Amino acid sequence: MIYMLDTANIKAIERAKDLYPIKGVTTNPTIVSREGRSFLPLLKDIRRVIGDENMLHVQTLGLKAEDIIAEAEYLKANLGENIYIKIPVIPEGIKAIRILKDKGFNITATAIFTSQQALMAAVSGADFLAPYVNRIDNISGNGVEVVKDIINEINSYGLHAKVLAASFKNVQQVHELAKAGVHSVTVSPDILDAMIHHPLTDWSVEQFVKDWEKLYGEGKLTKDVSK
Ligand code: G3P
């Protein structure tokens, strides 16, 4: 499982990178606009925080293939080699994916709502496929089932693309996809925390500390009481 963080908030990225095994950050125009900052300095700050070894997924705005390609070249020139160009699966986007893949770009096909969109993007050369799980659920679809279909199609056609499931609103959606063997997920900072949180874990840790302190004193660690 590859975990990615779906935010452009620097503080949230710093915290999550410190705590969790994050392999990349994903953004989109909405996520970027929430930060209220100039685009390129913000993205460069994210690159600085995550380092060159982690993936940075950045979305293009163009609606014509030539504009998407020009954006991809600009983004790669400014944000380093380990960048994934996020391209929505509109027809011009599919064209851009093919051309950019031939030029050696890393591609994430995004705004995926159906398995057929995902399949065509994968055949066109996309490295990651980003289906929007919760947005599918919100139109009375079944996001988890759509993603399972995509995983099956990739496997049965032997395609190289990985599924990067996105748009989660709860841990259960992530859980269902983990059981289905999803390759990667991108989640908001609060979902990431919720994935590890359990009140009984916190209660157990509190009890351990209380019991320990009865004998060894407050604030003492194992290394402090070895004699
Ligand atoms: O990465 C795509 C994702 O950001 C969309 O999520 O929560 O806006 O549906 P959401």
Side-chain angles (χ1 to χ4, degrees), residues 6-205:
D6 204 23
T7 184
N9 185 274
I10 296 293
K11 280 199 170 17
I13 296 168
E14 282 172 341
R15 177 177 176 276
K17 183 172 178 284
D18 182 47
L19 295 174
Y20 303 124
I22 300 296
K23 291 284 177 240
V25 164
T26 58
T27 64
N28 63 33
T30 305
I31 285 173
V32 166
S33 70
R34 270 185 211 134
E35 301 308 308
R37 289 184 50 190
S38 299
F39 172 69
L40 201 55
L42 172 62
L43 271 288
K44 283 187 173 176
D45 277 354
I46 297 174
R47 168 57 77 206
R48 180 182 47 74
V49 170
I50 65 175
D52 289 335
E53 68 279 16
N54 286 304
M55 293 177 271
L56 178 55
H57 296 242
V58 186
Q59 194 164 321
T60 55
L61 272 299
L63 301 178
K64 301 290 288 178
E66 64 258 35
D67 291 334
I68 296 169
I69 291 161
E71 287 183 82
E73 279 161 356
Y74 172 82
L75 293 170
K76 192 171 176 180
N78 283 284
L79 296 168
E81 285 295 310
N82 203 355
I83 185 168
Y84 284 72
I85 308 297
K86 284 182 78 182
I87 302 175
V89 289
I90 56 176
E92 291 281 329
I94 296 293
K95 177 179 171 183
I97 289 172
R98 280 198 347 265
I99 295 169
L100 286 169
K101 202 59 219 168
D102 284 347
K103 289 173 179 266
F105 281 77
N106 300 316
I107 308 290
T108 299
T110 194
I112 292 175
F113 285 78
T114 73
S115 61
Q116 289 310 307
Q117 292 174 322
L119 183 57
M120 197 179 293
V123 169
S124 303
D127 301 283
F128 283 100
L129 309 166
Y132 284 4
V133 177
N134 195 65
R135 292 194 196 188
I136 296 171
D137 287 352
N138 278 348
I139 52 169
S140 304
N142 186 327
V144 166
E145 289 305 315
V146 170
V147 177
K148 284 183 185 171
D149 286 346
I150 297 171
I151 294 169
N152 285 336
E153 283 169 359
I154 287 172
N155 291 339
S156 61
Y157 287 106
L159 294 163
H160 120 109
K162 289 184 166 66
V163 176
L164 170 58
S167 175
F168 290 103
K169 283 297 164 287
N170 61 61
V171 175
Q172 185 62 17
Q173 292 165 330
V174 179
H175 175 59
E176 291 299 327
L177 289 179
K179 284 196 294 182
V182 75
H183 307 103
S184 54
V185 292
T186 185
V187 294
S188 62
D190 54 324
I191 296 277
L192 193 62
D193 280 333
M195 282 159 64
I196 196 74
H197 176 71
H198 197 291
L200 284 182
T201 301
D202 294 346
W203 179 83
S204 300
V205 169

